Amino acid sequence: MSIASDRTVTDLYPTRGAAEAFIGRKDPVVWSEPGTPGPFWARELEQFDRDGFLPVEQLITPAEVETYRTEMDRLLADPAVRADDRSIVERKSGSVRSVFEVHRISEVFAELAADPRIADRARQILGSDVYVHQSRINLKPGFGATGFYWHSDFETWHAEDGLPHMRTVSVSIALTPNYATNGGLMIMPGSHRTFLGCAGETPEDNYKRSLQMQVAGTPSDEALSKFASACGIRLFTGEAGSATWFDCNAMHGSGDNITPYPRSNVFLVFNSVENRPVAPFAAPVRRPSYIASRDFTPVG
């Protein structure tokens, strides 16, 4: 299916201009009507609406964790997977940092993405059928795996993938324990209510560098200080099988892992079928389909 190139679509969230800009959110956070049935309780959706995230203590069982870890190890041991463009290799260590589009290269992860415990939660938040905009395994081996700097995913998905609205939600599912010390996810509560239009143009084929170290679309120290002062910072920990749902515009990042304890997560991004991408709002070319899907078939 083609992506529309219609530039009559209003750009609600200008970014990658001459200067940073703070823009109030124009879109809902929870798109479904109050009382819509689903796995989330009403109070949980209220918490998600307020904070921009919601932890789930156990989204998948210990037995399922072992299944997904085995499948992860199988993919990582496959030379063809490592050599594929879908795999992002860390420059310093040579370790695989991420493997993209795992729901397409693995039936096991495809079943996970379509699992009602996951897909129904995404539908409940976004108020429509959903498709997988992006999927990946994120890995942080011990002894020096680098973190990922503060950013809003939507800023990139808007600028480089052409998503017009904030109608996208992510879930990070832990396949290993996420400690306070091994490079866990940090989110600024309430930051999803304000869009930060970043300064600077997008280089051509920016994705080749940004997936290892982001430069374009990175907030300034001054902007991050304002967000942190207003919102604070929450660090997420949890046993394997726990998960964190978070809004596409939540300001988040993670630190280095200098411990001996690896940190591995499955990351699934669901977009509303009513929020199909148009031409990128602030990039010369679209990112590849294994990073930003062009298949809008609803899951489930």
Side-chain angles (χ1 to χ4, degrees), residues 76 80-102 105 134-141 145-148 206-214 287-288 290-291:
L76 295 174
V81 171
R82 182 183 176 88
D84 194 280
D85 286 345
R86 293 179 180 87
S87 295
I88 308 303
V89 179
E90 209 165 66
R91 291 174 181 173
K92 286 194 303 181
S93 66
S95 300
V96 175
R97 175 190 181 117
S98 300
V99 179
F100 279 81
E101 211 172 34
V102 290
I105 63 175
Q134 184 184 102
S135 70
R136 66 182 188 262
I137 300 168
N138 284 338
L139 303 120
K140 278 191 182 178
T146 56
F148 212 86
N206 178 57
Y207 74 92
K208 293 180 179 179
R209 284 163 288 183
S210 67
L211 297 177
Q212 292 178 324
M213 181 174 291
Q214 188 164 351
R287 299 195 298 174
Y290 63 82
I291 299 174

Side-chain angles (χ1 to χ4, degrees), residues 54-75:
L54 187 73
V56 177
E57 189 172 333
Q58 186 181 69
L59 186 60
I60 59 175
T61 67
E64 289 171 319
V65 168
E66 288 306 311
T67 296
Y68 297 123
R69 285 177 63 172
T70 298
E71 179 67 357
M72 177 184 71
D73 291 342
R74 183 190 71 80
L75 292 173

